[in-house]
Amino acid sequence: MLSFETTCAFFVASLLMAMTPGPDVIIVLTQSSLYGMRAGVLTTLGLMTGLLGHTLAVALGVAVLFQTSEAAFTALKVLGAAYLLYLAWQSFRSGVFRAFLTQSLFPGYGTLYRRFLSNITNPKVTLFCLAVLPQFVEPERGHPTLQILSLGGLYELACLIVFTAIAALGGRMATWFNRSDRAQMLMNRIAGCIFLGLALMLAFASR
């Protein structure tokens, strides 16, 4: 069972990560701006279903690493920290996103859901989950698998809240993102600091 402090800290971090500009944010923003809030929500559900698959894969695999192999855990820690440093570097050097909106025929709600369910095949999402979720696990508080599933659920909830809000404000948000370069640069800097902090936490973590 996760501690109250860990739950709160992870949920706040998840909200901040979900709010940083990136591919998923732009996807939800553009779909809701083109086709309305319902389309944005269906797009979000597709992305969340894919994320659930990644969380299950990480939970089943990382539990074994915690219990059996110091060398495997160290290797995972090094890879995870390196990947988070890469994300921080990308965020610090990023320019601005442009959500170019074009009118097109509505593909249907089912198509929108299935289209973005495909992110379950993206190995970068699995690597991100591997890098972030395990460092919030507290082995003395119960089985790592259940804790990782709980953390994954919290992250999904945070993403659902943020992406639904973006879907509801799709048209207005699209206009703001396209006009405010300074806002996008600020969010990229915040994202870089978050990734850098997580990388340092992971680098000094023990099994």
Side-chain angles (χ1 to χ4, degrees):
M1 194 67 183
L2 296 171
S3 66
F4 178 76
E5 293 78 8
T6 297
T7 299
C8 291
F10 180 78
F11 188 67
V12 170
S14 295
L15 286 172
L16 292 173
M17 287 188 287
M19 285 188 288
T20 57
D24 288 350
V25 170
I26 297 301
I27 286 171
V28 175
L29 181 63
T30 54
Q31 296 304 304
S32 59
S33 297
L34 285 169
Y35 308 121
M37 178 180 174
R38 185 178 296 181
V41 171
L42 264 294
T43 298
T44 296
L45 292 179
L47 294 170
M48 295 300 96
T49 304
L51 180 59
L52 177 61
H54 291 288
T55 301
L56 290 173
V58 170
L60 295 176
V62 172
V64 176
L65 294 179
F66 267 104
Q67 294 173 344
T68 62
S69 176
E70 180 70 32
F73 176 78
T74 300
L76 173 63
K77 182 175 70 172
V78 171
L79 288 173
Y83 180 64
L84 285 168
L85 287 173
Y86 170 71
L87 292 180
W89 175 74
Q90 277 197 324
S91 295
F92 284 128
R93 69 185 293 271
S94 289
V96 296
F97 289 95
R98 289 300 184 196
F100 292 110
L101 303 180
T102 58
Q103 294 299 322
S104 59
L105 295 176
F106 179 55
Y109 294 120
T111 299
L112 285 174
Y113 173 80
R114 291 190 298 271
R115 180 184 298 170
F116 299 107
L117 174 63
S118 65
N119 81 331
I120 197 171
T121 63
N122 184 355
K124 289 186 178 181
V125 180
T126 299
L127 188 54
F128 179 82
C129 291
L130 281 170
V132 175
L133 299 184
Q135 64 184 289
F136 287 90
V137 169
E138 301 169 293
E140 71 278 4
R141 299 189 67 89
H143 202 286
T145 298
L146 297 179
Q147 291 190 55
I148 290 175
L149 289 174
S150 298
L151 291 167
L154 286 172
Y155 184 62
E156 291 230 8
L157 177 60
C159 289
L160 183 62
I161 291 172
V162 172
F163 292 173
T164 300
I166 291 174
L169 300 173
R172 187 175 299 175
M173 289 289 290
T175 301
W176 182 71
F177 270 112
N178 275 304
R179 291 180 178 176
S180 179
D181 292 354
R182 180 176 296 181
Q184 292 184 48
M185 295 295 289
L186 176 61
M187 290 301 291
N188 278 323
R189 299 299 180 266
I190 292 174
C193 291
I194 292 172
F195 291 136
L196 180 60
L198 289 173
L200 292 174
M201 287 176 60
L202 184 57
F204 292 102
S206 58
R207 187 160 70 100

